[in-house]
Amino acid sequence: MTSNDDILRALGRVEGRLTGIEENMALLREDVSDEKENAHESRSVVHRRLDEQAKQIARLDTTVAISGGVEATLREEIKGLRETVEKNHASTQPALEDWKRIKAIGYGISGLIALAGLTVGGVVAYASDGAVAWLRHWLKIN
């Protein structure tokens, strides 16, 4: 049979091992709690980023919607302006054609006046010699 000393030694070894196991369990609990805290922080960072992305997407959707509305408004205004310009062009086209015709007639009349002036000037220059001679003869100036 085993003696009491052997039993006490065996119990001491078991008690030592249990103490070691308890210490290891405490260390494991600390590690697990640290990992839980780190995981919680990591998840909160991910959630924060997701929230920021959701806000940015919402702002982008709003911006796109506003831009689409502005673009549609501008298209309608441009269409209206184009129609107005076409109407104004159609209504002013006859006046422009008349103005071009009047301008061409004015150039023709200016040319005729210039030609008549040159002709009169030439006739006066040609006739001046004869007029001077007739005037001297009439006044009896030699």
Side-chain angles (χ1 to χ4, degrees), residues 74-138:
L74 289 175
R75 282 184 188 163
E76 289 299 318
E77 286 184 21
I78 290 172
K79 185 178 177 183
L81 288 173
R82 183 177 293 137
E83 291 172 359
T84 303
V85 166
E86 288 173 359
K87 286 178 187 176
N88 289 344
H89 182 70
S91 65
T92 58
Q93 190 64 28
L96 289 174
E97 293 298 324
D98 287 344
W99 179 254
K100 288 178 185 177
R101 188 176 54 78
I102 290 169
K103 189 175 162 184
I105 290 171
Y107 285 145
I109 291 173
S110 295
L112 287 175
I113 291 172
L115 185 61
L118 288 173
T119 303
V120 168
V123 168
V124 167
Y126 179 74
S128 66
D129 287 337
V132 167
W134 176 79
L135 188 61
R136 284 185 179 186
H137 175 68
W138 186 65

